[in-house]
Amino acid sequence: MISKPSPVNGRWNASDLRKLSPVERDVILAEAAASAEPEYRTNPRMTDFEAFAEDDLHGVSTAAPTG
C-alpha cells in the first residue's frame, strides 16, 4: 500500500504537494489562500511595496507584436 504524503509540522512542502492529485492540491492551496487573505487585507506591510522601479521596466520588449 502506498502512503499518501502529509504535512510536516502542519506545513506542506512543494514536493509532497506535487505527489497529490490536482484536486487534492487545489483544495489545500485554496484553504491556504483563504487563511492568508485577512493578513493581506489588513497588514499594509504585505502589499506596500513597488514590484518594479522605474529603471526596471524598459520601453522596448522582444515580446511586442510587430507591425
Side-chain angles (χ1 to χ4, degrees):
M1 179 175 172
I2 298 173
S3 64
K4 286 266 188 175
S6 61
V8 176
N9 297 324
R11 293 178 172 218
W12 289 92
N13 64 42
S15 102
D16 285 338
L17 283 170
R18 285 192 302 270
K19 294 175 187 173
L20 299 173
S21 73
V23 172
E24 291 171 311
R25 264 194 314 264
D26 286 349
V27 168
I28 292 166
L29 295 174
E31 289 173 356
S35 70
E37 181 183 12
E39 182 72 16
Y40 280 94
R41 291 194 182 278
T42 60
N43 185 346
R45 291 181 57 198
M46 299 297 289
T47 57
D48 190 21
F49 63 91
E50 291 186 26
F52 298 101
E54 196 170 308
D55 293 337
D56 293 335
L57 301 176
H58 305 285
V60 178
S61 170
T62 58
T66 58

Short mmCIF file of all heavy atoms in Angstrom, two decimals:
data_model
loop_
_atom_site.label_atom_id
_atom_site.label_comp_id
_atom_site.label_asym_id
_atom_site.label_seq_id
_atom_site.Cartn_x
_atom_site.Cartn_y
_atom_site.Cartn_z
N MET A 1 0.84 -1.18 0.00
CA MET A 1 0.00 0.00 0.00
C MET A 1 0.89 1.25 0.00
O MET A 1 1.81 1.38 0.80
CB MET A 1 -0.89 -0.02 1.25
CG MET A 1 -1.78 1.15 1.37
SD MET A 1 -2.85 0.88 2.80
CE MET A 1 -3.60 2.41 2.90
N ILE A 2 0.59 2.19 -0.89
CA ILE A 2 1.35 3.44 -0.99
C ILE A 2 0.75 4.45 -0.01
O ILE A 2 -0.45 4.68 0.00
CB ILE A 2 1.29 4.01 -2.43
CG1 ILE A 2 1.93 3.02 -3.38
CG2 ILE A 2 1.96 5.36 -2.50
CD1 ILE A 2 1.78 3.39 -4.83
N SER A 3 1.60 5.03 0.81
CA SER A 3 1.10 6.02 1.77
C SER A 3 1.01 7.38 1.12
O SER A 3 1.84 7.75 0.29
CB SER A 3 1.98 6.07 3.01
OG SER A 3 3.27 6.50 2.65
N LYS A 4 -0.01 8.12 1.50
CA LYS A 4 -0.20 9.48 0.98
C LYS A 4 0.71 10.43 1.75
O LYS A 4 0.92 10.26 2.94
CB LYS A 4 -1.65 9.92 1.20
CG LYS A 4 -2.63 9.27 0.28
CD LYS A 4 -2.82 10.17 -0.88
CE LYS A 4 -3.96 9.64 -1.74
NZ LYS A 4 -4.26 10.53 -2.80
N PRO A 5 1.23 11.44 1.08
CA PRO A 5 2.04 12.43 1.80
C PRO A 5 1.15 13.21 2.76
O PRO A 5 -0.05 13.34 2.56
CB PRO A 5 2.58 13.33 0.70
CG PRO A 5 1.70 13.11 -0.47
CD PRO A 5 1.12 11.73 -0.33
N SER A 6 1.74 13.72 3.81
CA SER A 6 1.02 14.54 4.77
C SER A 6 1.90 15.72 5.15
O SER A 6 3.11 15.67 4.97
CB SER A 6 0.63 13.73 5.99
OG SER A 6 1.79 13.25 6.63
N PRO A 7 1.28 16.77 5.67
CA PRO A 7 2.08 17.95 6.02
C PRO A 7 3.05 17.64 7.16
O PRO A 7 2.76 16.85 8.04
CB PRO A 7 1.05 18.97 6.44
CG PRO A 7 -0.16 18.20 6.82
CD PRO A 7 -0.12 16.94 6.01
N VAL A 8 4.22 18.24 7.08
CA VAL A 8 5.22 18.12 8.14
C VAL A 8 5.06 19.32 9.05
O VAL A 8 5.12 20.46 8.59
CB VAL A 8 6.64 18.07 7.54
CG1 VAL A 8 7.68 18.04 8.64
CG2 VAL A 8 6.78 16.88 6.61
N ASN A 9 4.85 19.07 10.32
CA ASN A 9 4.62 20.15 11.29
C ASN A 9 3.50 21.09 10.84
O ASN A 9 3.60 22.30 11.00
CB ASN A 9 5.91 20.94 11.54
CG ASN A 9 6.99 20.10 12.16
OD1 ASN A 9 6.70 19.23 12.97
ND2 ASN A 9 8.22 20.34 11.77
N GLY A 10 2.47 20.53 10.22
CA GLY A 10 1.33 21.33 9.79
C GLY A 10 1.56 22.11 8.50
O GLY A 10 0.72 22.88 8.09
N ARG A 11 2.70 21.90 7.85
CA ARG A 11 3.01 22.63 6.61
C ARG A 11 3.31 21.65 5.49
O ARG A 11 4.03 20.67 5.68
CB ARG A 11 4.22 23.54 6.81
CG ARG A 11 3.95 24.65 7.75
CD ARG A 11 5.20 25.47 7.95
NE ARG A 11 4.87 26.65 8.70
CZ ARG A 11 5.39 27.83 8.48
NH1 ARG A 11 6.28 27.99 7.55
NH2 ARG A 11 5.02 28.86 9.19
N TRP A 12 2.80 21.96 4.34
CA TRP A 12 3.09 21.15 3.15
C TRP A 12 4.35 21.68 2.49
O TRP A 12 4.56 22.88 2.41
CB TRP A 12 1.94 21.24 2.15
CG TRP A 12 0.71 20.52 2.60
CD1 TRP A 12 -0.33 21.04 3.30
CD2 TRP A 12 0.42 19.14 2.39
NE1 TRP A 12 -1.26 20.07 3.53
CE2 TRP A 12 -0.83 18.90 2.98
CE3 TRP A 12 1.07 18.10 1.75
CZ2 TRP A 12 -1.43 17.65 2.95
CZ3 TRP A 12 0.48 16.85 1.72
CH2 TRP A 12 -0.76 16.64 2.31
N ASN A 13 5.16 20.80 1.95
CA ASN A 13 6.27 21.27 1.13
C ASN A 13 5.91 21.00 -0.33
O ASN A 13 5.00 20.22 -0.63
CB ASN A 13 7.61 20.66 1.54
CG ASN A 13 7.67 19.17 1.34
OD1 ASN A 13 7.20 18.64 0.33
ND2 ASN A 13 8.24 18.47 2.29
N ALA A 14 6.60 21.65 -1.23
CA ALA A 14 6.27 21.57 -2.66
C ALA A 14 6.35 20.15 -3.19
O ALA A 14 5.51 19.72 -3.97
CB ALA A 14 7.18 22.50 -3.46
N SER A 15 7.34 19.39 -2.76
CA SER A 15 7.49 18.05 -3.31
C SER A 15 6.34 17.14 -2.87
O SER A 15 5.87 16.32 -3.64
CB SER A 15 8.86 17.48 -2.95
OG SER A 15 8.84 16.58 -1.92
N ASP A 16 5.85 17.29 -1.64
CA ASP A 16 4.70 16.49 -1.21
C ASP A 16 3.42 16.94 -1.90
O ASP A 16 2.57 16.11 -2.24
CB ASP A 16 4.53 16.56 0.31
CG ASP A 16 5.56 15.72 1.04
OD1 ASP A 16 6.12 14.78 0.42
OD2 ASP A 16 5.83 16.01 2.21
N LEU A 17 3.26 18.23 -2.13
CA LEU A 17 2.09 18.71 -2.85
C LEU A 17 2.05 18.15 -4.28
O LEU A 17 0.98 17.79 -4.79
CB LEU A 17 2.06 20.24 -2.90
CG LEU A 17 1.61 20.94 -1.62
CD1 LEU A 17 1.86 22.43 -1.73
CD2 LEU A 17 0.15 20.65 -1.33
N ARG A 18 3.20 18.05 -4.91
CA ARG A 18 3.26 17.52 -6.28
C ARG A 18 2.84 16.06 -6.34
O ARG A 18 2.40 15.58 -7.37
CB ARG A 18 4.65 17.70 -6.87
CG ARG A 18 4.94 19.13 -7.29
CD ARG A 18 6.22 19.21 -8.13
NE ARG A 18 7.38 18.68 -7.45
CZ ARG A 18 8.20 19.39 -6.68
NH1 ARG A 18 7.99 20.67 -6.50
NH2 ARG A 18 9.25 18.83 -6.12
N LYS A 19 2.95 15.33 -5.24
CA LYS A 19 2.58 13.92 -5.21
C LYS A 19 1.06 13.71 -5.13
O LYS A 19 0.57 12.62 -5.37
CB LYS A 19 3.24 13.22 -4.02
CG LYS A 19 4.75 13.16 -4.13
CD LYS A 19 5.36 12.59 -2.87
CE LYS A 19 6.88 12.68 -2.91
NZ LYS A 19 7.49 12.26 -1.62
N LEU A 20 0.34 14.77 -4.77
CA LEU A 20 -1.11 14.69 -4.64
C LEU A 20 -1.78 14.86 -6.00
O LEU A 20 -1.19 15.38 -6.94
CB LEU A 20 -1.61 15.77 -3.69
CG LEU A 20 -1.09 15.71 -2.25
CD1 LEU A 20 -1.55 16.95 -1.49
CD2 LEU A 20 -1.56 14.44 -1.57
N SER A 21 -3.04 14.47 -6.07
CA SER A 21 -3.81 14.70 -7.29
C SER A 21 -4.08 16.19 -7.43
O SER A 21 -4.05 16.93 -6.43
CB SER A 21 -5.14 13.94 -7.24
OG SER A 21 -6.03 14.57 -6.33
N PRO A 22 -4.35 16.66 -8.64
CA PRO A 22 -4.64 18.09 -8.82
C PRO A 22 -5.81 18.56 -7.95
O PRO A 22 -5.78 19.67 -7.41
CB PRO A 22 -4.97 18.21 -10.30
CG PRO A 22 -4.22 17.08 -10.94
CD PRO A 22 -4.26 15.96 -9.93
N VAL A 23 -6.83 17.73 -7.79
CA VAL A 23 -7.98 18.12 -6.97
C VAL A 23 -7.56 18.28 -5.51
O VAL A 23 -7.94 19.27 -4.86
CB VAL A 23 -9.11 17.07 -7.11
CG1 VAL A 23 -10.22 17.34 -6.12
CG2 VAL A 23 -9.64 17.05 -8.52
N GLU A 24 -6.78 17.35 -4.99
CA GLU A 24 -6.31 17.45 -3.61
C GLU A 24 -5.44 18.68 -3.41
O GLU A 24 -5.56 19.40 -2.42
CB GLU A 24 -5.53 16.20 -3.21
CG GLU A 24 -6.38 14.95 -3.10
CD GLU A 24 -5.55 13.69 -2.92
OE1 GLU A 24 -4.59 13.50 -3.70
OE2 GLU A 24 -5.86 12.92 -2.00
N ARG A 25 -4.55 18.96 -4.38
CA ARG A 25 -3.69 20.15 -4.31
C ARG A 25 -4.52 21.41 -4.30
O ARG A 25 -4.27 22.33 -3.52
CB ARG A 25 -2.75 20.18 -5.52
CG ARG A 25 -1.41 19.62 -5.28
CD ARG A 25 -0.45 20.00 -6.38
NE ARG A 25 -0.95 19.84 -7.73
CZ ARG A 25 -0.74 18.78 -8.50
NH1 ARG A 25 -0.05 17.77 -8.05
NH2 ARG A 25 -1.22 18.73 -9.71
N ASP A 26 -5.53 21.47 -5.18
CA ASP A 26 -6.36 22.67 -5.26
C ASP A 26 -7.08 22.95 -3.95
O ASP A 26 -7.19 24.10 -3.53
CB ASP A 26 -7.37 22.54 -6.40
CG ASP A 26 -6.75 22.69 -7.77
OD1 ASP A 26 -5.57 23.09 -7.86
OD2 ASP A 26 -7.45 22.39 -8.77
N VAL A 27 -7.56 21.90 -3.29
CA VAL A 27 -8.24 22.07 -2.00
C VAL A 27 -7.28 22.65 -0.97
O VAL A 27 -7.60 23.61 -0.26
CB VAL A 27 -8.85 20.74 -1.51
CG1 VAL A 27 -9.31 20.84 -0.07
CG2 VAL A 27 -10.00 20.32 -2.42
N ILE A 28 -6.10 22.08 -0.88
CA ILE A 28 -5.11 22.53 0.10
C ILE A 28 -4.68 23.96 -0.17
O ILE A 28 -4.60 24.80 0.73
CB ILE A 28 -3.90 21.58 0.12
CG1 ILE A 28 -4.32 20.23 0.68
CG2 ILE A 28 -2.74 22.17 0.92
CD1 ILE A 28 -3.32 19.12 0.45
N LEU A 29 -4.41 24.28 -1.44
CA LEU A 29 -3.97 25.63 -1.79
C LEU A 29 -5.08 26.65 -1.60
O LEU A 29 -4.82 27.79 -1.19
CB LEU A 29 -3.42 25.65 -3.21
CG LEU A 29 -2.14 24.82 -3.40
CD1 LEU A 29 -1.74 24.78 -4.87
CD2 LEU A 29 -1.02 25.34 -2.55
N ALA A 30 -6.33 26.27 -1.86
CA ALA A 30 -7.46 27.18 -1.64
C ALA A 30 -7.62 27.48 -0.16
O ALA A 30 -7.88 28.62 0.24
CB ALA A 30 -8.74 26.59 -2.21
N GLU A 31 -7.46 26.45 0.68
CA GLU A 31 -7.54 26.66 2.13
C GLU A 31 -6.41 27.58 2.61
O GLU A 31 -6.63 28.47 3.44
CB GLU A 31 -7.47 25.33 2.87
CG GLU A 31 -8.72 24.48 2.71
CD GLU A 31 -8.57 23.09 3.30
OE1 GLU A 31 -7.46 22.73 3.77
OE2 GLU A 31 -9.56 22.34 3.28
N ALA A 32 -5.22 27.40 2.08
CA ALA A 32 -4.09 28.24 2.46
C ALA A 32 -4.32 29.69 2.03
O ALA A 32 -4.04 30.62 2.79
CB ALA A 32 -2.80 27.70 1.86
N ALA A 33 -4.85 29.88 0.83
CA ALA A 33 -5.13 31.23 0.34
C ALA A 33 -6.19 31.90 1.20
O ALA A 33 -6.07 33.08 1.54
CB ALA A 33 -5.56 31.18 -1.12
N ALA A 34 -7.24 31.15 1.55
CA ALA A 34 -8.31 31.72 2.38
C ALA A 34 -7.79 32.12 3.76
O ALA A 34 -8.18 33.15 4.30
CB ALA A 34 -9.46 30.72 2.50
N SER A 35 -6.89 31.32 4.32
CA SER A 35 -6.37 31.66 5.65
C SER A 35 -5.40 32.84 5.59
O SER A 35 -5.24 33.57 6.57
CB SER A 35 -5.71 30.45 6.31
OG SER A 35 -4.52 30.11 5.66
N ALA A 36 -4.74 33.07 4.46
CA ALA A 36 -3.80 34.18 4.32
C ALA A 36 -4.48 35.49 3.93
O ALA A 36 -3.93 36.57 4.17
CB ALA A 36 -2.74 33.84 3.27
N GLU A 37 -5.68 35.42 3.37
CA GLU A 37 -6.34 36.61 2.86
C GLU A 37 -6.51 37.72 3.90
O GLU A 37 -6.19 38.89 3.60
CB GLU A 37 -7.70 36.25 2.27
CG GLU A 37 -8.42 37.45 1.70
CD GLU A 37 -9.81 37.12 1.18
OE1 GLU A 37 -10.32 36.02 1.44
OE2 GLU A 37 -10.37 37.98 0.50
N PRO A 38 -6.96 37.44 5.12
CA PRO A 38 -7.12 38.55 6.08
C PRO A 38 -5.81 39.28 6.35
O PRO A 38 -5.81 40.50 6.52
CB PRO A 38 -7.63 37.86 7.35
CG PRO A 38 -8.24 36.58 6.88
CD PRO A 38 -7.46 36.17 5.66
N GLU A 39 -4.71 38.56 6.38
CA GLU A 39 -3.41 39.21 6.63
C GLU A 39 -3.07 40.18 5.50
O GLU A 39 -2.60 41.29 5.73
CB GLU A 39 -2.32 38.14 6.76
CG GLU A 39 -0.96 38.69 7.05
CD GLU A 39 -0.81 39.24 8.46
OE1 GLU A 39 -1.64 38.94 9.33
OE2 GLU A 39 0.17 39.97 8.69
N TYR A 40 -3.33 39.78 4.26
CA TYR A 40 -3.04 40.66 3.13
C TYR A 40 -3.98 41.85 3.09
O TYR A 40 -3.61 42.92 2.64
CB TYR A 40 -3.11 39.88 1.82
CG TYR A 40 -1.87 39.08 1.56
CD1 TYR A 40 -1.77 37.74 1.95
CD2 TYR A 40 -0.77 39.66 0.94
CE1 TYR A 40 -0.61 37.01 1.73
CE2 TYR A 40 0.39 38.94 0.71
CZ TYR A 40 0.45 37.62 1.11
OH TYR A 40 1.60 36.90 0.89
N ARG A 41 -5.20 41.67 3.55
CA ARG A 41 -6.17 42.78 3.53
C ARG A 41 -5.93 43.79 4.65
O ARG A 41 -6.27 44.95 4.51
CB ARG A 41 -7.59 42.24 3.63
CG ARG A 41 -8.03 41.50 2.39
CD ARG A 41 -9.54 41.30 2.41
NE ARG A 41 -9.98 40.56 1.26
CZ ARG A 41 -10.19 41.08 0.06
NH1 ARG A 41 -9.98 42.36 -0.16
NH2 ARG A 41 -10.60 40.32 -0.94
N THR A 42 -5.37 43.34 5.77
CA THR A 42 -5.27 44.23 6.93
C THR A 42 -3.86 44.68 7.27
O THR A 42 -3.69 45.58 8.08
CB THR A 42 -5.87 43.55 8.18
OG1 THR A 42 -5.15 42.34 8.43
CG2 THR A 42 -7.34 43.23 7.98
N ASN A 43 -2.85 44.06 6.68
CA ASN A 43 -1.47 44.41 7.01
C ASN A 43 -0.83 45.11 5.81
O ASN A 43 -0.42 44.46 4.85
CB ASN A 43 -0.68 43.16 7.38
CG ASN A 43 0.72 43.48 7.85
OD1 ASN A 43 1.22 44.59 7.68
ND2 ASN A 43 1.38 42.48 8.42
N PRO A 44 -0.71 46.43 5.86
CA PRO A 44 -0.15 47.15 4.70
C PRO A 44 1.29 46.77 4.38
O PRO A 44 1.73 46.93 3.25
CB PRO A 44 -0.25 48.63 5.10
CG PRO A 44 -0.50 48.65 6.55
CD PRO A 44 -1.07 47.32 6.94
N ARG A 45 2.02 46.22 5.35
CA ARG A 45 3.40 45.81 5.06
C ARG A 45 3.45 44.66 4.05
O ARG A 45 4.47 44.43 3.42
CB ARG A 45 4.09 45.39 6.35
CG ARG A 45 4.35 46.58 7.28
CD ARG A 45 5.04 46.18 8.54
NE ARG A 45 6.30 45.52 8.22
CZ ARG A 45 6.96 44.77 9.07
NH1 ARG A 45 6.49 44.56 10.28
NH2 ARG A 45 8.10 44.22 8.73
N MET A 46 2.35 43.93 3.91
CA MET A 46 2.32 42.80 2.98
C MET A 46 2.19 43.26 1.53
O MET A 46 2.59 42.56 0.62
CB MET A 46 1.15 41.87 3.31
CG MET A 46 1.23 41.25 4.70
SD MET A 46 2.65 40.19 4.92
CE MET A 46 2.23 38.81 3.92
N THR A 47 1.62 44.44 1.32
CA THR A 47 1.37 44.89 -0.05
C THR A 47 1.92 46.28 -0.35
O THR A 47 1.79 46.76 -1.47
CB THR A 47 -0.14 44.91 -0.34
OG1 THR A 47 -0.80 45.75 0.62
CG2 THR A 47 -0.74 43.52 -0.25
N ASP A 48 2.54 46.92 0.62
CA ASP A 48 3.02 48.29 0.43
C ASP A 48 4.46 48.30 -0.08
O ASP A 48 5.39 48.62 0.63
CB ASP A 48 2.92 49.05 1.75
CG ASP A 48 3.17 50.54 1.57
OD1 ASP A 48 3.02 51.03 0.43
OD2 ASP A 48 3.51 51.19 2.56
N PHE A 49 4.60 47.91 -1.32
CA PHE A 49 5.92 47.94 -1.94
C PHE A 49 5.73 48.09 -3.45
O PHE A 49 4.65 47.86 -3.97
CB PHE A 49 6.71 46.67 -1.64
CG PHE A 49 6.08 45.42 -2.19
CD1 PHE A 49 6.40 44.96 -3.46
CD2 PHE A 49 5.16 44.71 -1.44
CE1 PHE A 49 5.80 43.82 -3.96
CE2 PHE A 49 4.57 43.56 -1.94
CZ PHE A 49 4.89 43.12 -3.21
N GLU A 50 6.77 48.48 -4.12
CA GLU A 50 6.74 48.57 -5.57
C GLU A 50 7.42 47.34 -6.14
O GLU A 50 8.55 47.02 -5.77
CB GLU A 50 7.45 49.84 -6.04
CG GLU A 50 6.69 51.10 -5.69
CD GLU A 50 7.35 52.33 -6.29
OE1 GLU A 50 8.04 52.20 -7.32
OE2 GLU A 50 7.18 53.40 -5.71
N ALA A 51 6.73 46.66 -7.01
CA ALA A 51 7.30 45.45 -7.60
C ALA A 51 8.46 45.79 -8.53
O ALA A 51 9.43 45.06 -8.61
CB ALA A 51 6.23 44.69 -8.35
N PHE A 52 8.35 46.93 -9.22
CA PHE A 52 9.38 47.33 -10.17
C PHE A 52 9.71 48.80 -9.96
O PHE A 52 8.81 49.61 -9.78
CB PHE A 52 8.91 47.15 -11.62
CG PHE A 52 8.62 45.74 -11.98
CD1 PHE A 52 7.32 45.28 -12.04
CD2 PHE A 52 9.65 44.85 -12.27
CE1 PHE A 52 7.04 43.97 -12.37
CE2 PHE A 52 9.38 43.54 -12.60
CZ PHE A 52 8.07 43.09 -12.65
N ALA A 53 10.97 49.11 -10.00
CA ALA A 53 11.37 50.51 -10.01
C ALA A 53 11.27 51.01 -11.45
O ALA A 53 11.17 50.24 -12.40
CB ALA A 53 12.81 50.64 -9.51
N GLU A 54 11.28 52.30 -11.62
CA GLU A 54 11.13 52.88 -12.96
C GLU A 54 12.22 52.37 -13.91
O GLU A 54 11.96 52.13 -15.08
CB GLU A 54 11.16 54.40 -12.86
CG GLU A 54 10.62 55.07 -14.10
CD GLU A 54 10.45 56.56 -13.89
OE1 GLU A 54 9.80 56.95 -12.90
OE2 GLU A 54 10.98 57.32 -14.72
N ASP A 55 13.42 52.17 -13.40
CA ASP A 55 14.52 51.71 -14.25
C ASP A 55 14.43 50.22 -14.60
O ASP A 55 15.14 49.74 -15.47
CB ASP A 55 15.86 51.97 -13.57
CG ASP A 55 16.15 53.46 -13.44
OD1 ASP A 55 15.57 54.24 -14.23
OD2 ASP A 55 16.94 53.82 -12.56
N ASP A 56 13.58 49.47 -13.90
CA ASP A 56 13.47 48.04 -14.15
C ASP A 56 12.65 47.73 -15.40
O ASP A 56 12.79 46.66 -15.98
CB ASP A 56 12.81 47.32 -12.97
CG ASP A 56 13.69 47.36 -11.74
OD1 ASP A 56 14.92 47.47 -11.88
OD2 ASP A 56 13.15 47.28 -10.62
N LEU A 57 11.79 48.63 -15.80
CA LEU A 57 10.93 48.40 -16.96
C LEU A 57 11.48 49.14 -18.17
O LEU A 57 11.83 50.31 -18.09
CB LEU A 57 9.51 48.86 -16.66
CG LEU A 57 8.84 48.17 -15.45
CD1 LEU A 57 7.48 48.78 -15.19
CD2 LEU A 57 8.73 46.69 -15.69
N HIS A 58 11.56 48.47 -19.26
CA HIS A 58 12.09 49.05 -20.49
C HIS A 58 10.96 49.26 -21.49
O HIS A 58 10.03 48.47 -21.55
CB HIS A 58 13.17 48.15 -21.08
CG HIS A 58 14.27 47.85 -20.09
ND1 HIS A 58 15.23 48.77 -19.74
CD2 HIS A 58 14.51 46.75 -19.35
CE1 HIS A 58 16.03 48.23 -18.84
NE2 HIS A 58 15.63 47.02 -18.58
N GLY A 59 11.06 50.28 -22.27
CA GLY A 59 10.02 50.61 -23.24
C GLY A 59 9.96 49.65 -24.41
O GLY A 59 8.94 49.49 -25.06
N VAL A 60 11.03 48.96 -24.70
CA VAL A 60 11.09 48.05 -25.83
C VAL A 60 11.10 46.62 -25.32
O VAL A 60 11.86 46.27 -24.43
CB VAL A 60 12.33 48.32 -26.70
CG1 VAL A 60 12.40 47.34 -27.86
CG2 VAL A 60 12.34 49.74 -27.18
N SER A 61 10.22 45.81 -25.89
CA SER A 61 10.16 44.41 -25.46
C SER A 61 10.33 43.51 -26.68
O SER A 61 9.80 43.79 -27.75
CB SER A 61 8.82 44.12 -24.82
OG SER A 61 8.67 42.74 -24.60
N THR A 62 11.06 42.43 -26.51
CA THR A 62 11.21 41.48 -27.61
C THR A 62 9.94 40.69 -27.82
O THR A 62 9.76 40.04 -28.84
CB THR A 62 12.37 40.50 -27.35
OG1 THR A 62 12.11 39.82 -26.13
CG2 THR A 62 13.69 41.24 -27.26
N ALA A 63 9.02 40.74 -26.85
CA ALA A 63 7.76 40.01 -26.97
C ALA A 63 6.67 40.86 -27.62
O ALA A 63 5.57 40.39 -27.85
CB ALA A 63 7.30 39.54 -25.60
N ALA A 64 6.98 42.13 -27.92
CA ALA A 64 5.97 43.00 -28.51
C ALA A 64 5.63 42.56 -29.92
O ALA A 64 6.50 42.13 -30.68
CB ALA A 64 6.49 44.44 -28.52
N PRO A 65 4.35 42.62 -30.27
CA PRO A 65 3.98 42.23 -31.63
C PRO A 65 4.57 43.20 -32.66
O PRO A 65 4.76 44.38 -32.38
CB PRO A 65 2.45 42.33 -31.63
CG PRO A 65 2.09 43.16 -30.45
CD PRO A 65 3.22 43.06 -29.48
N THR A 66 4.91 42.68 -33.79
CA THR A 66 5.47 43.52 -34.85
C THR A 66 4.35 44.03 -35.74
O THR A 66 3.31 43.40 -35.88
CB THR A 66 6.48 42.72 -35.70
OG1 THR A 66 5.83 41.60 -36.23
CG2 THR A 66 7.66 42.30 -34.86
N GLY A 67 4.60 45.16 -36.36
CA GLY A 67 3.64 45.67 -37.33
C GLY A 67 2.87 46.74 -36.81
O GLY A 67 2.16 47.46 -36.67
#
